[in-house]
Amino acid sequence: MKTVYKFSVVPSLPPQLARLQELAYNMWWCWNFDAIELFYRLDRDLWEECGHNPVAMLGRVSQARLEKLAHDDAYLHSLKRVLGRFDNAMQAGRPFKLPPESQDLLVAYFSLEFGLHESVPIYSGGLGVLAGDHLKSASDIGLPLVGVSLLYREGYFRQYLNPDGWQQETYPDNDFLNMPVIPLFDEKHQPLMIEVEMPSRMVQARLWKVQVGRTPLILMDTNVESNSIEDREITAQLYGGDLEMRLKQELVLGIGGVMALERLGYFPTVFHMNEGHSAFLGLKRIQNLIERQKLSFNEALEACSSGSVFTTHTPVPAGIDKFPPALMDKYFWKYRDAVGISREEFLGLGREHPSNVEEPFSVAVLALRLSDRYNGVSMLHGEVSRRMWKTVWPELPEKEIPIGHVTNGIHNKTWTSHELASLFERYLGPRWAEFSEDPEVWRYMDQIPDSELWRTHERRRERLVAFVRRRMRAQLVKRGAQEHELLAADETLDPDILTIGFARRFATYKRATLIFHDVDRLIKLVSNLDRPVQFIFAGKAHPRDNEGKEFIRRIVHHVRRDEFMRRVVFLEDYDMNVARYMLQGVDVWLNNPRRPLEASGTSGMKAAANGAQNLSILDGWWVEGYSPDTGWAIGRGEEYTDLKYQDEVESRTIYDILEKDLVPLFYQRGRDGLPRGWLAKMKATFKKLAPVYNTNRMVDEYAQKFYIPATDRWHRMSQSSFNGAKELTQWKKRVETGWKEVHVLAADTDFTEEVKVGQSVHISVPVHLGPLTPGDVRVQVLFGKVNADGDLEAPEILDLKDHTVSPEGRVVYTGNLECRASGLQGFAVRVLPCHGSLSYLHETGLIRWG
C-alpha cells in the first residue's frame, strides 16, 4: 500500500467571521441559544446534516455563503452581540466565593463518560449527562474544576431496529478533527502523550481537551500508531469489550488521568470520583506520595483520602465492577512491590471483607477505602447505599454509616426550551438562568399570563410532533417501507392532544412495558374521542442486555397494532437531541422503575424544567420532589418481593390516575380554552422544583459539603512535609494497637422503677482505656425509644464529656439523660477513637460497645 501523508484542512473564514471558529471550539455555545442560532443561520439543512456539530459545519459550509454573511449587517450584529456575552462569561463571569484558606481549591472530576452534546458522542446515558451538566454549572458559577475522561473512537453505539423490532447496533467512528475537541501539543509541537504501564509494556495515550465554558475537560485516547492493535482498542468503545478491557479502561482513566493532569500543570486539591470507574486514581496518588515524599503506604493513604470524594450511582451490588484476584495480580503486581504492601493487603483494599480470599476486587470498595467523603445521588439512594455498604463499617448502626447524599440536578439552560427561556427572560429576568438555584427568581412565576405560558407549551408540543413525523419517516425510509407507510408517518400523533413521554435506558428494572400491562385499558385511553392520549417511547438497551432488547421488541409490536397506529410511537437511536425534543414537548413524563433501583433519575427533572408533569414511582429524586401540586405519585413508596403482583398493582394505579385524575384535569378547559388547573400545576412545578433540582445548586452543595472541607483537610495533612498525615497515621497505629485493651464496664444510673417525662437521669460509665488516654477517645450514650425487637429507634446521642480517674485507674465518664417522651426507653454506651484530624468520628472503624 502507498504511504499516506496526513494533513489537516481547516475552514477558511472571512476575517469578519473568524471568531466563529473560537466559538465552535467552546461548548458554551451549546447552552446559549443565540450562539446556536449563529451556526443554524449559516445553513439550516447543513446544521441538521452535521448533527448540530459547528466544527464540522464550518468545514463544509460553502465559501460563497460565508462571504455573503461576512457582509450581512444583521448577521454581523448578532455575532457581535453573542461574542460580547461569550467574552463576558469567560473573563468576568460569576465568581465562586471561596474562604481565604481554600483559595487554591481545584477539583479534578473523573468520570468514564461525559454527555455534553450530541456532537461529542462519548456518553451513553444519565451518568454521562449528569457529568456534563456538572461541568457546565461549574463554569457558570465559577467553581475551579477540571474534568477527566477517555476519548472514544466509536463512542457509544447507534441504534436501529430490524423488521422484527430487535435492536441492532452500529459503531461509526468519531472524527475528532471535525468535533469540538482540541488536540494538545508539547513544547516541540508534537502530540502531547502520557505513558501508562500495563503488564510487560507501556501504553501511550494522546491528550485532547474539550473546553466547556470556563471548565476544561481533559480526554485520553490510546488510538495512536505507537500502540499495539490491542492497546489501540482500549478507547475504542464506551462500555465495550470484556472484563479485562474494562479493567484496562479504568486503569487508563484513573492512573493515566492523574498523570495527564500533572503533565498539563493541574494540581488539584480534591479528586472527585463519579462512580468507582476511576478509583485507581487513588493508587497512583499514593504511589506518587511514597516516591516523592518518602511516606509510608499508610501515611500516603491518609493524605490521599483526605482530598478524595466518591459518588456512587449504583443501588445494587450487581452494578459494581468487580475483578477476579488473578486479573488484579496480572495488572498490579509491580504496583504492590513499588508501594511495599503484600498481595493480601492490596486485594483487601477492594474487598468488603479484606481477609475473604474468595471475594473479587471491587472498584467501589476501593473508592470507599481511598476516600473519606462519600455520597449517594438522592436522599433515598443515600439510605440504600448505607444499607448496601454496611459491611465496610461492620460495627456501626446503619444510620451512622458515613455515606450522605447530594441529590442530582440538571443544567437548566441546556434543557429548558428556547421558547420557554425567552418567556422567563421577559418575566423573571436574566437571573433565571444565571442564578437558577435562587428560589426568589421563581417567585415571580405567577406574573406570567396563563395564556402566554400555554401558547408557549403548545408550540413546543407542535414542534415535538413535527420532529417525530420527520424521524418516523426517516426510520421507515431506511427500512425500505412502502409509500402508504410513509404517508401514515406524516400523520403520526396529533399536536393538540395530551402527550406522554417515556425515554431512558431500557434496563428491565425501569419496566418500559408496564403501561401495556392491560392493553384493553390502554386502547380505551388512546382512542377516546373526547379526551385522547398519545405516547412517545425511546431508548436503548445495552448491547448485551437481551431482556432489555426484548422490551423494545414488545413495544414495537404493540405500536404496529391498528389500535395504536398514530397514537403510540417508538423513536430509534435515542440521544440528547431526541431527548431535548421529547422533554421540552411532552405534557407528562412517565417513570415507573422498581423502587428502590432508581438511584436518582434526572430525565424527570428535565421534563419538569419545561413544565411537564411527572407521573412516577416514588423512587430516586421523586421521593423528594413530589407534592400533589407538582405531579402524580404511583403508589406510596411500597417495595415488593412478588414482582408480578407489583406489576399488577402499579400498572392498575397508573391507569386509575390517568383515567380519573390526570386526563380529566388536562382537558378541563375554561371559557377561554385554557386548562387553568393544569397551568396551576405547571407554575407550581417551576416554583418548587426548578430552584432545587438543578446542577448550580448541586455543584454548590458539593463545594460546601465536600470540596472545601476536603481542601482544608488536604492542607492539614500535607503541610510541613506531610507531618499531618504522618502524625495521624502514628496515632491510628497506636490506637489500633491499644484498642484490644479498651473495655466499657457496667454503667451506673439513678434510674427508679418509673421516670417522669422531663426528668433527668444521671449516668456514670467506667471505662478501662489501657494504654490510651481520655484525649484519644469519645464516650457516647445512645438513648431513646426501644422497639419490639429490643433495639433503639432513632436514638439521640449524648457525648459524656465530664470524667474522673478512679483509684483503680479507670476513667469514669458522667452525664445526664433527659427523658423527653413516655414509653419504653433505653440506652447503650460506646467508645470511639477521637482525633482532631479525623474527617468523621467513625473513620477508624473501631468501636467498643458496652
Side-chain angles (χ1 to χ4, degrees):
M1 181 178 176
K2 296 179 180 178
T3 300
V4 176
Y5 296 92
K6 300 176 183 177
F7 56 93
S8 297
V9 179
V10 297
S12 178
L13 298 176
Q16 301 94 318
L17 306 181
R19 291 196 67 195
L20 274 175
Q21 189 162 3
E22 178 187 352
L23 200 59
Y25 276 100
N26 190 314
M27 298 303 296
W28 178 89
W29 63 261
C30 79
W31 70 88
N32 286 274
F33 300 113
D34 291 348
I36 295 172
E37 187 76 10
L38 286 176
F39 297 112
Y40 183 77
R41 286 167 63 183
L42 288 175
D43 187 322
R44 174 178 177 175
D45 293 335
L46 188 58
W47 177 245
E48 296 297 332
E49 191 179 320
C50 290
H52 309 155
N53 178 347
V55 174
M57 186 178 188
L58 289 178
R60 293 177 58 184
V61 67
S62 72
Q63 202 65 33
R65 177 63 178 160
L66 291 173
E67 293 295 341
K68 182 178 180 181
L69 288 173
H71 298 88
D72 183 325
D73 289 341
Y75 188 85
L76 293 177
H77 176 75
S78 297
L79 175 60
K80 182 179 179 180
R81 187 180 70 250
V82 170
L83 289 173
R85 288 182 54 227
F86 173 68
D87 290 338
N88 183 66
M90 295 306 103
Q91 298 161 19
R94 177 178 168 182
F96 192 86
K97 294 180 181 178
L98 289 167
E101 63 274 13
S102 303
Q103 290 298 305
D104 63 340
L105 181 147
L106 175 62
V107 180
Y109 184 85
F110 283 66
S111 182
L112 198 58
E113 53 173 301
F114 280 88
L116 298 164
H117 186 261
E118 61 268 23
S119 62
V120 189
I122 56 172
Y123 64 94
S124 73
L127 178 74
V129 173
L130 174 80
D133 283 4
H134 197 113
L135 298 195
K136 293 173 185 176
S137 276
S139 172
D140 284 346
I141 70 175
L143 181 76
L145 184 144
V146 54
V148 181
S149 191
L150 304 181
L151 183 59
Y152 304 98
R153 187 177 74 248
E154 298 174 2
Y156 203 52
F157 69 89
R158 303 294 299 271
Q159 177 199 58
Y160 70 96
L161 305 181
N162 71 12
D164 188 43
W166 190 259
Q167 174 181 290
Q168 307 289 305
E169 299 89 27
T170 61
Y171 293 88
D173 281 354
N174 284 326
D175 180 2
F176 300 152
L177 295 179
N178 272 313
M179 288 167 54
V181 181
I182 304 165
L184 299 179
F185 297 93
D186 63 16
E187 303 78 11
K188 299 179 181 178
H189 205 68
Q190 296 299 309
L192 196 57
M193 301 278 193
I194 58 163
E195 286 191 332
V196 181
E197 187 169 13
M198 298 280 178
S200 74
R201 67 195 186 283
M202 302 297 288
V203 172
Q204 289 197 314
R206 185 176 183 183
L207 304 185
W208 304 72
K209 180 176 74 169
V210 174
Q211 192 64 38
V212 187
R214 291 184 282 177
T215 303
L217 168 60
I218 307 304
L219 301 169
M220 292 167 287
D221 162 31
T222 65
N223 183 32
V224 296
E225 293 179 355
S226 56
N227 288 335
S228 67
I229 294 176
E230 176 189 356
D231 290 335
R232 293 176 72 164
E233 293 296 307
I234 293 174
T235 56
Q237 294 177 4
L238 173 60
Y239 303 131
D242 58 13
L243 192 63
E244 185 167 3
M245 178 59 75
R246 176 65 67 85
L247 176 61
K248 288 190 283 188
Q249 287 186 328
E250 295 182 0
L251 200 151
V252 172
L253 174 63
I255 292 178
V258 173
M259 299 170 68
L261 290 174
E262 188 170 316
R263 181 72 175 84
L264 292 167
Y266 294 107
F267 299 100
T269 59
V270 181
F271 286 76
H272 186 169
M273 294 169 272
N274 189 41
E275 255 309 343
H277 306 126
S278 56
F280 295 141
L281 71 84
L283 299 179
K284 182 60 179 174
R285 293 180 64 210
I286 287 171
Q287 183 178 13
N288 287 348
L289 289 170
I290 290 172
E291 292 176 352
R292 298 169 187 176
Q293 301 296 330
K294 309 306 178 187
L295 303 183
S296 69
F297 181 85
N298 287 334
E299 291 167 346
L301 189 153
E302 204 67 63
C304 168
S305 65
S306 70
S308 297
V309 177
F310 170 48
T311 297
T312 175
H313 296 256
T314 308
V316 290
I320 302 293
D321 287 342
K322 297 177 181 177
F323 302 106
L327 196 58
M328 295 303 296
D329 288 340
K330 177 179 177 181
Y331 281 85
F332 286 97
W333 68 270
K334 283 186 179 180
Y335 177 86
R336 299 194 312 254
D337 291 347
V339 299
I341 59 174
S342 68
R343 178 178 185 270
E344 291 70 26
E345 289 173 310
F346 176 78
L347 293 176
L349 292 171
R351 288 171 169 162
E352 293 180 53
H353 306 89
S355 59
N356 181 3
V357 296
E358 302 298 324
E359 189 178 331
F361 189 98
S362 163
V363 291
V365 174
L366 178 66
L368 290 170
R369 297 203 191 282
L370 301 189
S371 309
D372 62 17
R373 286 170 175 80
Y374 337 88
N375 70 284
V377 288
S378 68
M379 182 176 66
L380 178 60
H381 183 236
E383 296 173 10
V384 170
S385 298
R386 288 190 287 277
R387 184 163 62 246
M388 192 164 95
W389 299 116
K390 61 185 178 182
T391 54
V392 179
W393 291 272
E395 292 283 343
L396 275 183
E398 188 175 297
K399 290 184 178 179
E400 291 190 73
I401 288 172
I403 300 177
H405 76 277
V406 175
T407 301
N408 284 343
I410 63 156
H411 187 248
N412 279 15
K413 287 186 71 176
T414 293
W415 296 104
T416 302
S417 74
H418 188 187
E419 293 85 355
L420 196 56
S422 298
L423 192 67
F424 290 161
E425 193 85 15
R426 285 203 306 277
Y427 288 95
L428 308 183
R431 282 179 60 86
W432 85 268
E434 297 171 16
F435 294 87
S436 56
E437 74 278 20
D438 184 358
E440 285 298 304
V441 170
W442 301 95
R443 197 164 54 85
Y444 298 99
M445 274 302 305
D446 290 329
Q447 295 184 4
I448 300 178
D450 283 354
S451 57
E452 283 198 60
L453 180 58
W454 190 242
R455 280 199 303 270
T456 300
H457 180 65
E458 289 199 305
R459 280 198 298 274
R460 287 309 314 175
R461 193 189 316 115
E462 290 166 4
R463 288 198 178 188
L464 169 61
V465 170
F467 171 78
V468 169
R469 289 173 176 176
R470 293 195 303 271
R471 192 90 172 188
M472 292 296 295
R473 173 174 268 272
Q475 288 176 197
L476 291 168
V477 167
K478 284 182 182 178
R479 288 194 212 125
Q482 301 297 314
E483 184 62 27
H484 72 277
E485 294 177 282
L486 299 179
L487 293 174
D490 294 336
E491 298 178 358
T492 295
L493 303 184
D494 184 328
D496 297 319
I497 72 175
L498 175 61
T499 304
I500 299 176
F502 181 101
R504 51 191 36 87
R505 182 168 55 91
F506 265 62
T508 51
Y509 79 85
K510 294 177 183 285
R511 298 189 294 176
T513 58
L514 189 63
I515 192 68
F516 296 96
H517 197 76
D518 187 334
V519 173
D520 291 336
R521 288 185 78 173
L522 187 60
I523 289 172
K524 289 178 183 177
L525 279 167
V526 302
S527 60
N528 187 307
L529 296 179
D530 297 321
R531 301 185 306 195
V533 180
Q534 59 194 9
F535 291 83
I536 305 173
F537 290 86
K540 297 175 177 178
H542 187 280
R544 291 192 291 274
D545 182 4
N546 286 332
E547 287 185 89
K549 291 182 179 182
E550 176 58 25
F551 274 26
I552 294 174
R553 193 187 71 83
R554 280 188 224 164
I555 290 175
V556 171
H557 279 250
H558 282 301
V559 166
R560 292 173 181 171
R561 293 178 56 153
D562 291 341
E563 301 93 332
F564 293 134
M565 290 290 284
R566 299 185 177 87
R567 285 287 185 266
V568 185
V569 299
F570 182 91
L571 297 180
E572 296 179 18
D573 203 24
Y574 184 54
D575 65 2
M576 290 179 75
N577 185 43
V578 176
R580 273 196 304 274
Y581 273 100
M582 289 184 64
L583 293 158
Q584 294 171 1
V586 298
D587 302 293
V588 177
W589 196 253
L590 177 63
N591 185 38
N592 42 239
R594 295 195 191 280
R595 176 184 163 119
L597 300 182
E598 188 80 277
S600 175
T602 55
S603 59
M605 301 177 191
K606 295 161 190 160
N610 288 281
Q613 298 302 292
N614 276 270
L615 171 57
S616 177
I617 296 287
L618 285 171
D619 197 8
W621 81 282
W622 194 231
V623 175
E624 303 161 65
Y626 167 71
S627 64
D629 56 348
T630 60
W632 286 268
I634 304 167
R636 291 295 176 263
E638 301 88 352
E639 295 177 21
Y640 297 80
T641 54
D642 186 335
L643 302 187
K644 287 186 178 180
Y645 177 66
Q646 179 183 11
D647 290 350
E648 179 65 37
V649 170
E650 292 180 342
S651 64
R652 194 162 58 237
T653 302
I654 293 173
Y655 299 132
D656 288 344
I657 291 172
L658 289 171
E659 293 166 351
K660 299 173 183 177
D661 193 359
L662 193 155
V663 175
L665 182 67
F666 181 85
Y667 284 106
Q668 183 181 330
R669 307 295 166 101
R671 296 178 65 181
D672 55 6
L674 296 177
R676 299 286 182 179
W678 192 272
L679 283 160
K681 289 179 78 74
M682 287 180 69
K683 288 186 175 182
T685 294
F686 289 125
K687 286 189 288 187
K688 289 188 174 183
L689 303 185
V692 179
Y693 299 100
N694 65 78
T695 43
N696 281 14
R697 183 275 309 161
M698 182 192 80
V699 173
D700 183 73
E701 189 173 343
Y702 272 115
Q704 304 304 330
K705 289 174 72 171
F706 295 141
Y707 298 159
I708 293 173
T711 294
D712 294 345
R713 188 158 190 255
W714 166 254
H715 289 155
R716 290 200 303 274
M717 292 296 104
S718 60
Q719 66 186 0
S720 303
S721 301
F722 290 87
N723 275 344
K726 293 173 183 176
E727 190 275 329
L728 185 58
T729 301
Q730 291 168 1
W731 176 84
K732 282 186 176 181
K733 184 177 181 181
R734 179 171 62 82
V735 168
E736 188 173 345
T737 302
W739 197 249
K740 58 182 177 292
E741 297 186 41
V742 175
H743 300 289
V744 180
L745 306 176
D748 182 33
T749 70
D750 58 1
F751 276 133
T752 58
E753 190 170 331
E754 288 185 348
V755 180
K756 288 183 169 49
V757 172
Q759 182 178 339
S760 288
V761 176
H762 185 74
I763 184 169
S764 174
V765 181
V767 180
H768 179 72
L769 292 177
L772 305 186
T773 70
D776 292 326
V777 301
R778 183 175 295 179
V779 178
Q780 295 181 326
V781 178
L782 287 72
F783 66 100
K785 183 178 178 181
V786 176
N787 63 23
D789 296 323
D791 296 324
L792 290 170
E793 278 188 0
E796 293 186 55
I797 299 176
L798 173 69
D799 289 323
L800 299 181
K801 296 180 181 178
D802 296 331
H803 66 271
T804 58
V805 180
S806 72
E808 297 83 10
R810 297 167 182 163
V811 183
V812 181
Y813 292 83
T814 58
N816 294 296
L817 309 182
E818 184 180 345
C819 299
R820 297 189 179 93
S822 60
L824 185 60
Q825 305 283 308
F827 71 91
V829 180
R830 68 184 182 190
V831 182
L832 305 97
C834 181
H835 190 282
S837 292
L838 292 178
S839 179
Y840 54 94
L841 188 58
H842 311 301
E843 184 180 324
T844 64
L846 301 173
I847 301 179
R848 184 73 71 218
W849 290 93

